[in-house]
Amino acid sequence: MDDGKPSGPRTKWWSRPSTDRDRPAGPEEDGAAATGVADASGTAPTGPGGTTGPTAGERLPHTTPDGDYTPAPPVAAPPPAADRGTPAPAEPAPPAAEPHVHRTQPLHAPDEYSTPPYGGPGPWAPAPPVQRPVSTPAHGTPVPPPYAGTDGHGTAAPPVAAAPAQGGQEHHTDPWPPPHTVPQQHPVPQPPGQTPQQTSQWMRYDPWGAPRQPLSHPGPGQGVDDVRPRKARRGTVLVGAALLALLAGGIGGGVGAYVERNGGLTTVELPQSGRDAGGRAPDSVAGIAASALPGVVTLHVNGSAESGTGTGFVLDDRGHILTNNHVVAPAGSNGDITVTFSGGESAAAEIVGKDSGYDLAVVKVTGVSGLTPLPLGNSDNVRVGDPVVAIGAPFDLSNTVTSGIISAKERPITAGGEKGDGTDVSYVDALQTDAPINPGNSGGPLVDAEARVIGINSAIRAADSGSGLDGGQSGSIGLGFAIPINQGKRVAEELISTGKATHPVIGVTLDMEFTGDGAKVGGKAAGGASAVTEGGPADDAGIRSGDIITEVEGQRVHSGEELIVKIRAHRPGDRLGLVLTRGGKELSMTLTLGSASGT
């Protein structure tokens, strides 16, 4: 309770007075100034009980009406003349004497060792000058700029000035000197007659104030102008990196030039796998080629008017070789034919027989041993999509292997016709393949996955002329045609046996200019004879002139060429079922194929 007590300000012993701040002197302070200063003789006055009065810098306890002790304000002693460096100004006249104030004696004698609480400064002594505790930033991080020069709440701290000492001299009474200070860029104006005190950045930082900027991203304090910009540091790093890159480039260029001139620092040896046994799966392209190549030969034909190159394959160990008729045709009756085997051996060959209608021929070599005949397959068992391998000598490149599939079966094609009289036209019910076949592949084998011959490569669809047996020099466009081996086997047997092949016939003359659907029997044959041969297979079956044949063995026929192809796909003596149209009516009949000698 404060009832009955003076209402003026009083200082407790635990207060934190600022020694750098001027305060108006109260009655107690005036009494202290009047009684606590040494006289002119340098002897300090003594208090009651014979005690010596307070010296400069000490405070006397004052007694309040309620008996509490309050510390007297500090009495600043004049600094030594040597420290000031300037003559002291004349001292002002002492203030008027005030009424003597009775001061309470200490309860104990002074301790000669000055050990508190019984020695000086004693309970009446003022609290030592203190500062607010300052937290050390982590790892010495400087205090952020927003806190510099503020009281921690964003408000600029008031200037602190030293209290004037007696005689008009100023000095600092703080026994703890402030830490290193940084000059302010914008100093706070000071009242007249006061000297601004330098305060450090930490003195202006209040850790209990409202946070304004995290210490983890500090910036330079106010007035800090000696901080090196970060850009300059980055520029130094970039310059160093550029120099390092130039140095590395120079070294690399030197090493590269040395390697280029001297062929490397050491002998280069690249890793490589070792040799294998060379075995391949029998049904792989490599396995098929390895099995079939020894039985494939290359033919070089020279005649009086022309020459050519083709392919053939060995039929038996007696030296018979099957090839195309158009391959050996340039030799004529007195030309030369040379056969080169896959191993490089060569031998002369002679024609055994040939047939232009089937575009097949057989030649024979003599005096050659160790022949490797190729096994013959069955073309009737072939299905569209089956893998095939074509072997030949395209453009005289012997032992060339290509692969593909069967693209189609029973393709009716006609090839030849260069003579103009039709005697060299061949009709083939062919196997179509996309295995690349080029000029020079003619007469070579088309083999299946078991290296068995299923066809004889005979024709390609050329991009320029559209047809021809090596008639043009266009490359493969994926349309190759082979004579089925079943037909080739029969013709080859006949050629080896008799030198001639027989053709199955029905005994009619066809109208090749008919543009309708089907094969039309002509009105008259050459020389005015009937188009239906008297006593022939067609005459016996009841076919008449003008009939249009539309089916053979259940397969549609769209032209005269297709009818010839379908008939020649059979043997003489085979029975065929036909469907024909007569006078708008559809008729069915059966006939037995006849035989005619080929050319």
Side-chain angles (χ1 to χ4, degrees):
M1 298 293 294
D2 292 336
D3 295 339
K5 297 183 180 181
S7 60
R10 62 181 183 179
T11 306
K12 297 295 183 179
W13 65 270
W14 42 261
S15 64
R16 298 171 181 172
S18 174
T19 59
D20 299 332
R21 204 175 280 166
D22 292 339
R23 294 182 300 175
E28 297 179 359
E29 294 172 353
D30 293 343
T35 60
V37 180
D39 56 12
S41 62
T43 304
T46 60
T51 59
T52 305
T55 61
E58 295 181 345
R59 297 182 180 177
L60 294 178
H62 287 208
T63 305
T64 59
D66 59 357
D68 292 338
Y69 286 98
T70 58
V75 179
D83 295 338
R84 293 194 301 271
T86 56
E91 297 182 358
E98 293 183 358
H100 178 73
V101 180
H102 176 71
R103 301 184 184 280
T104 306
Q105 295 294 331
L107 300 180
H108 56 82
D111 184 6
E112 60 181 346
Y113 299 104
S114 299
T115 303
Y118 302 107
W124 59 86
V130 297
Q131 300 176 1
R132 287 184 175 180
V134 178
S135 300
T136 303
H139 307 292
T141 305
V143 177
Y147 295 106
T150 66
D151 58 357
H153 299 277
T155 306
V160 181
Q166 264 189 338
Q169 299 296 326
E170 297 179 358
H171 71 285
H172 295 284
T173 60
D174 191 350
W176 296 346
H180 175 72
T181 60
V182 180
Q184 296 183 358
Q185 293 181 354
H186 305 286
V188 180
Q190 302 292 334
Q194 295 184 358
T195 302
Q197 182 183 0
Q198 294 181 350
T199 58
S200 68
Q201 187 176 4
W202 294 107
M203 293 290 290
R204 295 191 300 268
Y205 172 63
D206 186 355
W208 290 280
R212 301 185 59 183
Q213 180 176 347
L215 292 178
S216 59
H217 302 281
Q222 293 183 358
V224 178
D225 55 359
D226 58 348
V227 179
R228 180 175 299 176
R230 186 175 298 178
K231 291 184 178 179
R233 183 178 178 184
R234 184 181 303 170
T236 304
V237 174
L238 292 177
V239 171
L243 292 176
L244 181 61
L246 289 175
L247 179 61
I251 295 175
V255 173
Y258 177 83
V259 170
E260 182 179 1
R261 292 177 182 177
N262 299 278
L265 300 176
T266 59
T267 302
V268 177
E269 184 175 355
L270 301 177
Q272 184 181 22
S273 61
R275 295 175 61 92
D276 58 11
R280 296 292 184 270
D283 58 347
S284 66
V285 175
I288 296 170
S291 177
L293 275 173
V296 181
V297 300
T298 302
L299 284 76
H300 294 87
V301 180
N302 294 309
S304 58
E306 56 182 331
S307 62
T309 302
T311 309
F313 59 93
V314 179
L315 290 174
D316 54 30
D317 56 3
R318 293 182 297 173
H320 292 104
I321 297 172
L322 182 63
T323 186
N324 284 136
N325 176 69
H326 73 268
V327 171
V328 299
S333 58
N334 55 0
D336 296 331
I337 301 175
T338 302
V339 174
T340 303
F341 296 88
S342 62
E345 302 86 355
S346 297
E350 61 180 5
I351 298 176
V352 174
K354 60 181 181 178
D355 188 271
S356 59
Y358 289 112
D359 193 24
L360 290 174
V362 174
V363 298
K364 182 181 180 181
V365 294
T366 58
V368 178
S369 62
L371 297 178
T372 306
L374 292 185
L376 303 182
N378 191 330
S379 55
D380 290 341
N381 298 333
V382 175
R383 296 292 179 267
V384 175
D386 285 349
V388 291
V389 173
I391 304 175
F395 299 100
D396 203 13
L397 299 173
S398 60
N399 299 329
T400 297
V401 177
T402 57
S403 65
I405 62 170
I406 294 296
S407 302
K409 292 179 61 177
E410 299 176 352
R411 286 289 193 208
I413 63 170
T414 58
E418 285 81 4
K419 291 183 178 180
D421 56 0
T423 58
D424 61 339
V425 177
S426 59
Y427 300 89
V428 180
D429 196 18
L431 298 173
Q432 180 181 331
T433 179
D434 66 346
I437 297 175
N438 293 288
N441 275 107
S442 296
L446 183 69
V447 300
D448 60 11
E450 297 182 16
R452 298 174 302 190
V453 180
I454 59 173
I456 302 99
N457 302 320
S458 298
I460 61 174
R461 173 69 180 183
D464 55 350
S465 63
S467 63
L469 299 171
D470 288 350
Q473 294 299 311
S474 298
S476 173
I477 60 174
L479 293 174
F481 302 94
I483 301 172
I485 192 58
N486 289 7
Q487 182 176 347
K489 177 180 177 294
R490 181 184 67 83
V491 174
E493 292 172 346
E494 290 182 351
L495 292 177
I496 294 172
S497 300
T498 64
K500 289 185 179 292
T502 59
H503 298 173
V505 295
I506 61 174
V508 297
T509 301
L510 299 177
D511 182 3
M512 304 304 292
E513 297 180 357
F514 177 70
T515 58
D517 188 27
K520 183 178 181 181
V521 178
K524 292 290 182 177
S530 175
V532 179
T533 303
E534 185 178 354
D539 188 28
D540 295 342
I543 297 177
R544 301 176 184 177
S545 178
D547 290 347
I548 300 174
I549 302 173
T550 57
E551 290 185 13
V552 176
E553 288 292 300
Q555 295 181 349
R556 291 287 301 180
V557 173
H558 302 284
S559 64
E561 289 85 355
E562 286 192 25
L563 179 62
I564 297 173
V565 168
K566 297 299 182 184
I567 292 175
R568 289 191 178 182
H570 296 82
R571 293 173 179 268
D574 291 345
R575 292 181 61 84
L576 297 181
L578 303 178
V579 175
L580 53 88
T581 302
R582 179 186 301 168
K585 296 181 180 180
E586 188 174 276
L587 303 175
S588 297
M589 59 186 62
T590 302
L591 58 79
T592 301
L593 293 176
S595 177
S597 296
T599 56

